[in-house]
Amino acid sequence: MDQDYLDILQQHTAGNPMNSSIRWTYLKPREIVSELLKKGYSVSRNIVRYLLKKHEYVKRKAQKNITMGGHPDRNAQFENITQLKQDYLDAGNPVISMDTKKKELLGTFYRNGSLYTQAAIQTNDHDFPSSATGSVIPHGFYDLKRNTGYITLGTSHDTSEFACDSLFQWWVNEGIIHYPKAKSLLILCDGGGSNSSRHYIFKEDLQKTANALGLEIRIAHYPPYTSKYNPIEHRFFPHVTRACEGVVFHSVETVKTLISRTSTSKGLTTIVHILDKIYETGRKYAADFKEIMPIVFDTHLPKWNYRAIPQE
């Protein structure tokens, strides 16, 4: 039976062309039972599961671990970020990780997850944006030293101005309280979206924020295709997602209440602020900004590392 089982799998097995030791079958246990029955074996699914395990076939999910692109300076930037984090933490200056979660529609829309309820939760059978009563954009910060999260809920667009206004709100509501003697702030972020490393509009808005706060702001972008290594992505956002599972987002206040509950047994806490401001899309930086900008680029990997120093 063992050999007949292997013969069945051989006909329904795929593999990795780069690694002959990795194989998988699309047959389910009940289908293997049926195939063995054709060969005269009357076995249960438990026996089939035993055979699968015996031959090292384990049920697994695919994992998104293959980098779709690389960059020759990838490792150099990771080493640079590691050193910057250590330098800032040793000096008592804040290190925060920044990113934006997916935009969510407000209304009676289905959301993944389940809840304990006394009756079924009814939602629309289609998620048409035209049926939404609004939208919410969660822009987040994660404080590496204090293990705290801060979410700004925007109701307009995810622009560089929104990202910098969110930063301003974090500093005046949290940062300056816990880091009153800070001389500089290190922000770790990816290289796209509202904080794109390629867009000068983000640098212009960042400079305005540094001027308003009177605080030096240092940016360190993660290389392309490596945003999953940004601490906020695995230390904060998954817990935010879990706190909101299964609940219908009827209003911004509902989202605020849910996200405020985000916590872990290891001490993670979350503060949420609503920023109800309309942001213009397609803004251009000032015509002379590139020529006169006070942004200071590092000599090492300047495209990903720079500082906004407050101007008088």
Side-chain angles (χ1 to χ4, degrees):
M1 185 182 70
D2 206 50
Q3 186 56 51
D4 286 338
Y5 157 81
L6 290 174
D7 290 342
I8 292 170
L9 253 61
Q10 182 66 33
Q11 300 172 38
H12 302 276
T13 295
N16 187 335
M18 305 301 293
N19 189 339
S20 60
S21 67
I22 300 177
R23 302 180 305 278
W24 58 89
T25 181
Y26 52 81
L27 290 180
K28 294 178 173 58
R30 61 178 175 78
E31 294 172 324
I32 298 175
V33 168
S34 297
E35 293 296 323
L36 284 171
L37 187 61
K38 294 176 184 177
K39 292 182 177 290
Y41 301 103
S42 179
V43 298
S44 67
R45 296 185 190 181
N46 286 337
I47 294 298
V48 168
R49 292 190 183 98
Y50 164 77
L51 291 171
L52 285 166
K53 184 176 181 180
K54 175 182 176 181
H55 294 282
E56 300 181 344
Y57 282 86
V58 180
K59 194 173 184 180
R60 298 181 176 92
K61 288 184 177 181
Q63 299 179 356
K64 293 184 178 182
N65 288 330
I66 300 176
T67 301
M68 295 182 62
H71 195 285
D73 294 324
R74 169 184 162 138
N75 289 341
Q77 179 62 356
F78 270 97
E79 292 173 359
N80 184 56
I81 289 175
T82 298
Q83 187 61 56
L84 283 172
K85 285 194 297 185
Q86 194 58 55
D87 290 345
Y88 269 69
L89 292 173
D90 289 345
N93 287 322
V95 179
I96 60 173
S97 174
M98 175 176 76
D99 201 7
T100 307
K101 277 183 67 64
K102 181 176 71 73
K103 178 180 179 180
E104 299 279 0
L105 296 176
L106 299 177
T108 315
F109 298 107
Y110 173 82
R111 303 192 67 256
N112 287 328
S114 57
L115 301 168
Y116 286 102
T117 66
Q118 293 183 319
I121 299 174
Q122 304 295 327
T123 62
N124 299 341
D125 58 354
H126 288 82
D127 295 339
F128 294 133
S130 58
S131 302
T133 57
S135 62
V136 60
I137 304 166
H139 186 275
F141 294 98
Y142 174 72
D143 187 325
L144 273 67
K145 181 179 180 181
R146 300 183 56 250
N147 189 30
T148 58
Y150 187 94
I151 293 281
T152 299
L153 298 176
T155 58
S156 179
H157 301 285
D158 183 22
T159 66
S160 62
E161 186 181 8
F162 169 57
C164 290
D165 282 352
S166 178
L167 172 61
F168 184 92
Q169 292 293 335
W170 172 82
W171 179 254
V172 298
N173 291 322
E174 284 290 302
I176 196 171
I177 296 173
H178 300 287
Y179 301 97
K181 298 181 180 179
K183 302 299 182 184
S184 183
L185 165 66
L186 173 61
I187 300 179
L188 309 178
C189 55
D190 59 25
S194 57
N195 49 250
S196 173
S197 61
R198 302 181 303 276
H199 295 169
Y200 282 94
I201 186 65
F202 172 63
K203 295 177 176 64
E204 184 178 43
D205 289 337
L206 186 72
Q207 183 63 58
K208 292 177 182 177
T209 305
N211 293 345
L213 296 177
L215 177 71
E216 177 185 279
I217 303 173
R218 173 181 277 278
I219 299 292
H221 292 283
Y222 280 89
Y225 305 103
T226 64
S227 60
K228 64 182 180 181
Y229 293 100
N230 196 1
I232 195 172
E233 293 286 354
H234 52 272
R235 297 187 189 178
F236 182 42
F237 279 171
H239 305 298
V240 173
T241 300
R242 189 183 67 247
C244 299
E245 283 183 339
V247 183
V248 177
F249 285 173
H250 287 294
S251 66
V252 179
E253 287 73 21
T254 300
V255 181
K256 178 181 179 181
T257 299
L258 290 169
I259 295 180
S260 297
R261 296 168 47 236
T262 304
S263 61
T264 67
S265 59
K266 294 185 177 180
L268 174 69
T269 57
T270 305
I271 294 174
V272 186
H273 174 80
I274 297 175
L275 187 56
D276 193 11
K277 176 181 175 181
I278 303 300
Y279 290 97
E280 176 188 354
T281 59
R283 287 173 55 238
K284 304 294 183 182
Y285 57 85
D288 59 348
F289 177 72
K290 288 180 68 174
E291 288 71 30
I292 66 172
M293 68 173 175
I295 296 289
V296 178
F297 292 88
D298 290 7
T299 55
H300 180 57
L301 301 175
K303 59 190 171 185
W304 295 330
N305 302 282
Y306 48 87
R307 293 174 294 149
I309 301 174
Q311 305 297 295
E312 295 296 335

